[in-house]
Amino acid sequence: MSLLLDRFNMLAPRSRRRGRKPTRQRGLRPDIQGLRAFAVIAVILDHLLGWPSGGFVGVDIFFVLSGFLITGLLLREHERTGRISFSGFYLRRVKRILPAAVLVLALTVAASFLVFNSARTQSTLVDSIWALLFAANWRQAIVGTDYFAASGPESPVQHYWSLAVEEQFYFLWPWLMLALFAVSVRLLRAKGRPRLIAGTAMLVLTTSSFAWSIFETSTSPTTAYFSTLSRAWELGAGALLACVSPVLTRLPSRIRPYLAWVGLGGMLISLFTINAQTAFPGPAAALPVFSTVLVVAAGTGTAKHHGLYVLTNRAMGYIGDISYSLYLWHFPVIVIGTTLLGHAPQQLGLLALIFTAGAIYAYHLVEDPIRKSGGLGKLKGMRKRVGGGELKVSPRYQMTALSLLAAITAGVVWTAMIPPTQTPTALAPKPQVSSPAEAAVTKTPQLEALQSQIAAALAATEWPETIRTAMDQALTSPQASPDIAPCGMGAVDERKCTWGDRQSEHTAMTIGNSISMTYVEALRSAIGTNGGWKLMSYGMFGCPIVDSANVPAGTMDGCSERLDKTIEAINRVKPDIVFVSGVGSTDSAKVQLAKITANTKLIFLPGPPGDADLHACYTKISRPADCVGKTQPNFGAAERSLASDLKAAFVDSSNWFCYQGSCPSFVGANVMKMDARHMTPQYATYIAPVVREYLEQSGIVHLSQVVPSQTR
C-alpha cells in the first residue's frame, strides 16, 4: 500500500520541443517506470483479489525508488549549484503530490457520507485529516490497525500511510544533507565530496533503521509496519544507491543483465513467499528491497536495459506514468465499491475499470497539468486555457479514456442484468412455544424465549428507527463497560477486577483475549453478586491464550507477561472454574494451559459467529438482511478441540446469537455485536439469564440460591 508510487515524474519533466513525442517523458528511465508499474499492479491485485499473498511488498519497491530518485535529484542540484533550493524542492513536492491526493480525499469523504454509517463516516473523516497532514502512518499505529487482520473494516484512506512515511523522509533528509555538507566544508574541508558525505551518513542511518525494524517487528509488529523509523532503511537503500551511482556507471555490460534478472526474480519470489504471517518489515522486507536495488543498479549509467522488455515496454511505461493516481484511486474505490456491490467477480471487474478510468482522467486533467505548471501565475493561465477549451490531450489518451468509459458503461449494464447475490435471510418461523403455561415447564424457557426473539429479528425487512440510533452508538462504544475495560489493559488489580462476595466459597475466573472481556458482563450478571460465587477477570484485549514463551506477532504489548500472570493467579487462587474465551493455535494454547497445577475445571466458551461485520454491512442503504451472519461449520473448532484434548467442557454458544444457523445484528431493542466478533455490553447483559440457565442446566455451577444482578 504505498503512495510512493509515482512521485518521481517531476525529476525529469517532459520535453516540450516540437517533434518530440508528447506522451513520454525525457529522462525517465524505462526500467524505473516499469518497476513502478510492477509495484502498483502487485499492490492492486493484493487489495482487489487477495493475491498474490505478498502483493503488499510493492510498497517496499516504491520506497527504494523514492529514496534513489529524490536523493539523486538533491545531489545533482548541489553538485551543479553548490546549494539545495528548499523552496524549489518543496514547491515541486506540493505540486506533484498534494492536488491529486486532496482530490481523492475529498471525493472519498463525500462518498462515505453517502454510503457509510455515521460512525464509519466520522472515522473516515478523521483518517482523511491525518492523511492530509501526512501523518496517516502514525494514525494507523495509534489506533492499532493490523494491516493484515484489522478487527474492523479498512479505512478507505488507510493506504495514505505510505505517502506519510515518504513525506516525512522528504522533510528530514534534505535538511540533514545540507547540514552535513555545511559541516564537512567548515570542519573537514571536503567541499567536493557531497556523495561520499551523504552516503556515509545514509549508511549509518540505514543500518540503524534496519536493526530497529527487526527489533520493533518482533516486539510491536503493528507499530513497526507503519513506523517511519522502521521503514526509513528502505528509502535509505535507494538513497545509498544514488550516492554511489557514479561508480555504477563503470559496471561491465556483461554483468548488468544478470543483476537485473536476479533482482526481478527476487521481487517475484517475494510476492509469493511473503504473506500476512511473515514478520514484516524486518527482516523479510530485505528481499524485495535488495532485489529492487539490483534492478536499479543494473540500469544506472547505461541506455541499454538488458532485455528487460517485461519492464521497459510502452504499456508498462504508461502504467508507471499514472501509477501515483492509480494507487490513490484504487483503494477507496475498492473499499466503498465492495460495500455497495459486494465481492463477486463481475463487481470486482467493474471496480477495476472505475478506478483505472478515474486514475487516467485525474492524471491528465489534474496531476500532470499542475505538476508542469511553472508557478501560480502559470497555473492561473493554465486554468484559463482549460476553461476556454484550449487544453489539448493527445489522441492516444483520448481513445484510451473513451474506451474505458465505454467499458465501464458496458460493465454497469452487465452488472445490472446479473441478479445480485442475495444474503440468505432467515424469514424463519418463531420457535413454537404454545403458551406461557407450556413455556413454564420446559427445561430451557430462557433460551427458547431468546430463540423466538432472534427469529423475529431475522424476519425484519427494515431497520427499526430505535435500532438505527442504537447501531450508531454501538459502533463507537467500547468493547466492555467502564468498570470492566481497565481489567483488560496493563496490570490486573484483583480488588477492582473481582465481582461478588469476596468471602464467597466458590470462584470463577475468565481468561483469554477481548472475547473473554466481552463475556465478563454476561457472566457476572448470570452468577450474581450475592450467593456463594465471585467472578475474577484475567483476560486481556489483544492477547489470546498461547504459549507465553512464543507469543505470535499481532498480540498486544505485554501479552506474554499477562499470560504468565494469569497462570500464576489460577495456581494461587485455585478457582472452581475458569472460562477460556479467545485462544490462539491449539498446540500453543495447550502448552500454556498445561502450566496450570491447580485443581480447576476449564470451560471453553467461544464468542459469537464472526462472519458479518456491523461496521461494513450496516450502511445508509442497507437492510437488516445485509447484516445477517451464518454459523460456520467450524464454529468454535479451536475451543472444541482443546476441550476434547484437555478433558474439559465446551459450551456451544451459537444459540445465544443465532437461530437455525442464521444470526441477526440485533434482538429486540439490543444491538448484538459492535463489529464482527464482539458482542455489545448491552447484549451481554440481555443474555445473562440464558447464560445462567445454561450453567445450571449443564451442571457447571449450582446457582439455585443466587439471584442474578440483572434480568430482562
Side-chain angles (χ1 to χ4, degrees), residues 157-158 249 292 356 448 489 507 547 631:
V157 297
Q158 180 177 310
T249 62
T292 306
T356 301
E448 292 185 17
M489 301 177 286
T507 303
D547 180 9
T631 304

Side-chain angles (χ1 to χ4, degrees), residues 38-59:
F38 177 94
V40 76
I41 290 171
V43 171
I44 289 174
L45 287 175
D46 181 30
H47 290 159
L48 189 66
L49 305 176
W51 177 92
S53 62
F56 56 88
V57 304
V59 172

